[in-house]
Amino acid sequence: MGKKKKKNAGSNVVATNRRARHDYTILESFECGIQLVGTEIKAIREGHVSLTDAFAIIEHGEVWLRNLNIPEYSLGTWTNHRPLRHRKLLLHRNEIDSLEGKVRDGNKTLVPLKLYFMDGLLKVELALAQGKQDYDKREDIKRRTEEREVVRELGRRVKGIKA
């Protein structure tokens, strides 16, 4: 007998938070589930979701995702969800305790990096991050520009182009 194929056998990225990598230094990342209600998953599958201002907090031993904007489902009726409600993230107890200690100790925060489907289930990549100062951001831009120039120069030399 053949193996059954899973519904969505790969990871399918729905939304990313590109601004987070610019504004924060990513220290650790975690994969966690998210607790959703009825029409939210349908709206996400339509591609309507925004991670722009989203962040996570730890309250009473549970991790909550705030400001995740999932607009109402277009074909929904009176059973539609509220777009900016707080959503519970699903992590193991030891991960929550570890994160709570790290967030409490320093100026670190929890930021969602991306939403994606893994084997038909919606997952959130949550990062423990530390805010960057303006000069750190400028240094990162400068470093990326220098690396890009080095790669271009090497490509020119390989191709025999003199610039």
Side-chain angles (χ1 to χ4, degrees):
M1 299 272 161
K3 286 185 178 180
K4 285 187 179 179
K5 283 194 175 183
K6 291 193 177 180
K7 193 173 173 182
N8 242 347
S11 73
N12 183 6
V13 177
V14 176
T16 58
N17 190 354
R18 296 177 64 202
R19 189 79 189 161
R21 294 196 186 274
H22 178 72
D23 290 341
Y24 298 98
T25 302
I26 307 302
L27 304 174
E28 270 185 272
S29 64
F30 299 89
E31 179 182 79
C32 53
I34 183 169
Q35 194 174 40
L36 299 173
V37 296
T39 54
E40 286 178 331
I41 195 69
K42 293 179 181 182
I44 290 171
R45 287 188 191 277
E46 283 184 341
H48 304 299
V49 64
S50 174
L51 282 172
T52 308
D53 297 328
F55 64 96
I57 62 167
I58 301 174
E59 274 184 355
H60 308 295
E62 295 178 337
V63 183
W64 294 90
L65 190 60
R66 303 260 174 110
N67 288 352
L68 173 66
N69 186 10
I70 303 174
E72 291 184 346
Y73 180 52
S74 60
L75 300 176
T77 58
W78 59 273
T79 59
N80 254 333
H81 61 278
R82 288 182 293 130
L84 288 174
R85 73 176 192 88
H86 306 318
R87 293 163 179 93
K88 186 176 178 179
L89 294 179
L90 309 172
L91 287 160
H92 291 283
R93 170 60 47 205
N94 56 355
E95 291 174 331
I96 295 172
D97 293 341
S98 169
L99 283 174
E100 189 170 19
K102 291 174 184 175
V103 169
R104 192 176 351 112
D105 286 347
N107 56 348
K108 296 176 182 66
T109 187
L110 297 172
V111 180
L113 297 179
K114 65 181 175 180
L115 281 174
Y116 57 96
F117 285 102
M118 179 70 71
D119 298 330
L121 300 175
L122 187 70
K123 301 288 182 181
V124 178
E125 184 178 346
L126 188 67
L128 179 67
Q130 188 168 7
K132 286 184 185 177
Q133 300 295 328
D134 285 339
Y135 57 86
D136 290 334
K137 293 177 190 176
R138 285 192 293 269
E139 286 175 8
D140 283 348
I141 292 170
K142 181 179 176 183
R143 181 182 46 79
R144 282 195 306 260
T145 305
E146 289 171 353
E147 287 174 0
R148 194 176 309 122
E149 289 299 321
V150 167
V151 169
R152 283 183 185 160
E153 185 60 33
L154 287 174
R156 287 186 189 121
R157 286 185 183 175
V158 167
K159 293 177 183 176
I161 300 171
K162 293 187 180 184

